[in-house]
Amino acid sequence: MASAVAGPEIERLIQLLARLPGLGPRSARRAALHLIKKREALMTPLSSALQVAIGKIQVCKTCGNIDTQNPCTVCTDPRRDQSIIVVVADVADLWALERANASNGLYHVLGATLSPLDGVGPQDLTIDALVKRAHEPQVGEIILALNATVDGQTTAHYITDLLQEANVRVTRLAHGVPVGGELDYLDEGTLSAAMRQRTLF
Amino acid sequence: MASAVAGPEIERLIQLLARLPGLGPRSARRAALHLIKKREALMTPLSSALQVAIGKIQVCKTCGNIDTQNPCTVCTDPRRDQSIIVVVADVADLWALERANASNGLYHVLGATLSPLDGVGPQDLTIDALVKRAHEPQVGEIILALNATVDGQTTAHYITDLLQEANVRVTRLAHGVPVGGELDYLDEGTLSAAMRQRTLF
């Protein structure tokens, strides 16, 4: 029925928008309508921005970041601390850490976390490249910034084992109370970790 | 900081995506990353779909629907009941009613509801065109499918007054309990309306 209302071209646009994370079929329809109403101000610019990005996007050969240059902006930034490599599962995590201004080091994107149940093994991750980078003389610390999930921690242990022979310090993110978080909403695991890793006030 | 990570072209894409309803700055970033990862399967098709839609979208001169043909698919469908005009504030409402298969009549999109506080007066709506359509001999009923808000009901009253001289029945949507709705979550206004407008079982 709906396809009879708006024409196949608009329905196609709605279907594609619905495949974006965060947009369901209903909000995709709303988004499409919003785009159509702002044809000059939003729809045309978005179309060109997509075109430009499609032509320019590259994956950084060094760290796996997504950027419009290769090596990426982070890897080529001379102000970055070349002795630190922050290991993340996904580019989204890299961007999140950058937004938080959390580190001045370089990154290494694994592409995923180990997940035997989903058939994701070490060969599916960029672990070999990481081990190679860890052996470079200027590297002194590998920070494992992986999710605090079973898969994330399995991956962290696996990498730590592989890095035994490299002359680097392997660290991981602290567990604890999220900033702004309320204690009685936190799970027991987080609370006891926060207690164990308490710091001087 | 973030703009230094991903390159200006990707940041521009994120900014445009963030202007879609339903996507905030964070989910726009996630959506951009998703697009980039599915360059062939999603990003390129979306870019083309936007381009095609930009070139084809038209506003129906009769009813105000957005479509790729003018007059729109609804207005040109011979199976539609030409004696009924469903008046809606926005194209989104038209699409919602079509999805629900709620009416077999034609539509009339007002473009907005009257809102004196926001400076929206009768001249900003397509009310003149509606009155003209209501005087056409084949039209027998005008269904006011407007929001059950103050502005929506003000608009409904205003239009009803203007249609006094036309030889049409003016109706509006029923108030009542939403299908699947639970009584103790409903407001008093809805409950008493549902009680007043109760129907035979």
Side-chain angles (χ1 to χ4, degrees), chain A residues 40-78:
Chain A
E40 294 311 315
L42 186 55
M43 197 172 186
T44 309
L46 179 60
S47 171
S48 338
L50 282 166
Q51 212 104 55
V52 170
I54 288 167
K56 290 215 168 187
I57 286 161
Q58 300 187 64
V59 174
C60 175
K61 269 183 194 158
T62 311
C63 75
N65 188 14
I66 287 168
D67 202 341
T68 47
Q69 59 176 83
N70 177 13
C72 75
T73 328
V74 177
C75 285
T76 52
D77 185 345

Side-chain angles (χ1 to χ4, degrees), chain A residues 125-136:
Chain A
L125 277 54
T126 60
I127 292 181
D128 288 350
L130 173 64
V131 173
K132 212 168 151 194
R133 287 181 77 188
H135 279 88
E136 287 170 7

Side-chain angles (χ1 to χ4, degrees), chain A residues 78-169:
Chain A
R79 292 162 305 178
R80 291 280 174 160
D81 188 340
Q82 310 284 322
S83 73
I84 297 175
I85 296 176
V86 181
V87 178
V88 291
D90 197 277
V91 175
D93 302 327
L94 189 164
W95 289 7
L97 289 167
E98 279 300 295
R99 276 202 304 283
N101 227 325
S103 166
N104 190 35
L106 304 175
Y107 289 94
H108 190 87
V109 179
L110 293 175
T113 44
L114 294 176
S115 180
L117 287 177
D118 298 326
V120 182
Q123 72 288 350
D124 300 312
L125 277 54
T126 60
I127 292 181
D128 288 350
L130 173 64
V131 173
K132 212 168 151 194
R133 287 181 77 188
H135 279 88
E136 287 170 7
Q138 80 279 11
V139 177
E141 180 174 3
I142 306 282
I143 305 176
L144 300 174
L146 298 168
N147 288 336
T149 56
V150 171
D151 286 349
Q153 295 312 301
T154 307
T155 312
H157 281 295
Y158 184 86
I159 291 174
T160 310
D161 284 350
L162 287 180
L163 294 179
Q164 292 290 347
E165 291 138 44
N167 187 23
V168 289
R169 211 153 62 100

Side-chain angles (χ1 to χ4, degrees), chain B:
Chain B
M1 190 70 193
S3 68
V5 187
E9 295 85 357
I10 299 176
E11 283 302 319
R12 167 105 179 114
L13 177 61
I14 293 169
Q15 275 164 22
L16 289 167
L17 287 171
R19 287 169 55 194
L20 292 178
L23 288 183
R26 235 160 230 267
S27 41
R29 205 165 279 275
R30 211 171 306 131
L33 212 46
H34 186 79
L35 281 169
I36 291 166
K37 285 180 183 168
K38 312 223 163 189
R39 201 193 309 202
E40 294 312 316
L42 186 55
M43 197 171 187
T44 310
L46 179 60
S47 171
S48 335
L50 282 166
Q51 212 103 53
V52 170
I54 289 168
K56 289 214 167 188
I57 286 162
Q58 300 187 65
V59 175
C60 175
K61 269 182 192 158
T62 311
C63 75
N65 187 14
I66 287 168
D67 202 339
T68 47
Q69 59 177 83
N70 178 12
C72 74
T73 327
V74 177
C75 285
T76 52
D77 185 345
R79 290 162 304 177
R80 291 279 174 162
D81 187 340
Q82 310 284 321
S83 73
I84 297 175
I85 296 176
V86 181
V87 178
V88 291
D90 197 276
V91 175
D93 302 328
L94 189 164
W95 289 7
L97 289 168
E98 279 299 295
R99 273 201 306 283
N101 227 326
S103 165
N104 190 34
L106 303 175
Y107 289 94
H108 190 89
V109 180
L110 293 175
T113 43
L114 295 176
S115 179
L117 288 177
D118 299 327
V120 181
Q123 73 287 349
D124 300 312
L125 277 51
T126 60
I127 291 181
D128 289 350
L130 172 64
V131 173
K132 213 168 151 194
R133 286 181 78 187
H135 279 88
E136 288 170 7
Q138 80 280 12
V139 177
E141 178 173 5
I142 306 281
I143 305 175
L144 301 174
L146 299 167
N147 288 337
T149 56
V150 172
D151 287 350
Q153 295 311 300
T154 308
T155 312
H157 282 295
Y158 184 87
I159 291 174
T160 309
D161 284 350
L162 286 180
L163 293 179
Q164 292 289 347
E165 292 138 43
N167 187 24
V168 290
R169 212 152 62 97
V170 181
T171 56
R172 58 168 187 157
L173 297 186
H175 288 305
V177 183
V179 175
E182 295 182 47
L183 293 193
D184 61 348
Y185 286 95
L186 279 176
D187 63 294
E188 290 79 9
T190 303
L191 278 177
S192 54
M195 187 58 80
R196 277 197 309 277
Q197 299 176 27
R198 65 192 175 279
T199 55
L200 276 173
F201 195 66

